[in-house]
Amino acid sequence: MSLLEAPLVVASNRGPVTFDRDDLGGLDARRGAGGLVTALIGAMQRVDGLWVAAASSDTDRELAAGLDGGRVDMERFGADYRVRLLDIPPERYDAYYNRISNGILWFVHHYLWDTVRQPIFDDEVDEAWNEYVAVNRRFAEALAEEADRSPTPPAFLVQDYHLTLVPRFLRELRPDAFIAHFSHTAIAGLTYMRILPGRVREGILRGMLGADVLGFHSQMWAENFLMSARSLPGVRADLARSRLSVEGRQVAVRIHPISIDAVGLRQEAAGPEVTALRRELNRWRGDTRLILRVDRLELTKNIVRGFQAYALFLRTHPEWHRRVRFLALLSPSRMDVPDYLTYGEECVAEAQRVNTEFGDEEWQPVEVRVRDDYLGALAAYGISDVLLVNPIYDGMNLVAMEGPLLNRRAGVLVLSRNAGAYWRLGKHALAVNPFDLRETADALYRALEMPREERIRRARGLSRLVLSNPAERWVRTQLEDLERARIRRRTPSPEPAARA
Ligand code: ADP
Ligand code: F6P
């Protein structure tokens, strides 16, 4: 049977929803935060698959310990797939998620360290790494169990930097498994990757190389991975075909930009709740133009520099005072990582500085709302004039797609060249170097002053591009890759010549 029809098993740290009990003891499902969940919910909508994820609430853990091994049918929540929750002891989870995944791997891939002082690797990091290994092993075992329960071999789609070791462990357990791994983050270049201790660096690269196919959102990240992987002893690279060979196996490196569920999103945005929120926001903004940003409260999103650039714009263009407002919708994220707490305070303080310098009783130039407010974000997308997406580095950035898709005012997208989304959307956006305040301030000015025809042309170009890449394609293209890998396995080709 072709893998295009094979049962699908997805694994990610964060599941599509977190479960809670309502007052009557029934199950409530809260949507998980972040781009991976948004994209995968869209991609899985029409696929009858199983999604394996770590339990994250008390109710999740209760379900994970239940009779059906943590399996929950999502049909009652209007979805076609099932979820399987894995219960991981809290201390182990803390080391794997906070210390290693978000404290080290996220930092390296987004170039977040101030390397004069950080990072320092010591015995504690070594111990946390052992927990990361243990959690990855637990996921691999769960996936191997799913292979045993499945009447035909499944296609495994393993997600992101939390689970880099799963492909290798699963390969050890089920050598014939068909495994794709996808990175939703940016990927560090060869020399920055060398900051990591050898055991960690080799571990994650060789772990990923256990897959048949490795996917990335953009060419920049795929190239960075290839450069690091081919520097490992015993790994040979065929750069022309974007393939690596290791331990007698072939690993394809592919670029599959993820997208959003445009139909579902538009339906949600047309609903009564979002309509009411849009009305409220319109009243709040009055007759000012609206600059919007929508982000997890996240170090990579470059929120502080965004406010600094806005301040520079206001300083340079007093004629815009009182005619513009900046709304920042920030969803709290990873609050157990100390840098995120500090950064949240810095964001709010920077916004206050702008308000103190330029605002008065009648005009508050910036408003920051720190809460998880997905529907509020959908409402705000509809009415903004400028959407600022200026991450330092970003694997993809779905906000850059959601905004243009829902916008009703021919809004302009100001987009960092270091976001994966730039690769596809850049030509219709105003591009900025995220570190360059002057360039960002000028882009805000240009966006606000842009003639209507140009705004319409760019806005149409953006939504056309988003619509031309439906969310389901992302799953389908990975299954096609896996199917090619399956055929290759049956007819082994000669090893690629070493070009490293
Ligand atoms: P990341 O993967 O780093 O979280 P993305 O831009 O790819 O970044 O995806 C972020 C997702 O989280 C989007 O679907 C966006 O709508 C959602 N989101 C961002 N900010 C908020 C917020 N303040 N409240 C609710 N959802 C948000
Ligand atoms: O899209 C990148 C990503 O890191 C996902 O892996 C993750 O689920 C999302 O951002 C949000 O982060 P977290 O799961 O740590 O809240």
Side-chain angles (χ1 to χ4, degrees), residues 16 54 108 121 182 185 190 229 254 313 338 360 388 424 451:
V108 76
F121 297 120
F182 199 94
T185 61
L190 172 69
R254 295 287 173 261
F313 153 73
D360 55 34
L388 177 60
R424 288 197 75 234

Side-chain angles (χ1 to χ4, degrees), residues 14 33-36 97 102 106 160-162 184 296 333-334:
R14 186 174 287 286
L36 181 145
Y97 175 69
N102 292 337
W106 182 267
D160 239 354
Y161 59 102
H162 313 88
H184 293 263
R296 277 188 302 111
S333 186
R334 305 181 189 169

Side-chain angles (χ1 to χ4, degrees), residues 471-487:
E472 315 85 80
R473 180 184 290 172
W474 181 78
V475 170
R476 200 180 60 242
T477 46
Q478 288 180 80
L479 294 179
E480 286 164 2
D481 285 342
L482 278 178
E483 174 61 8
R484 275 191 284 276
R486 186 180 74 88
I487 292 168

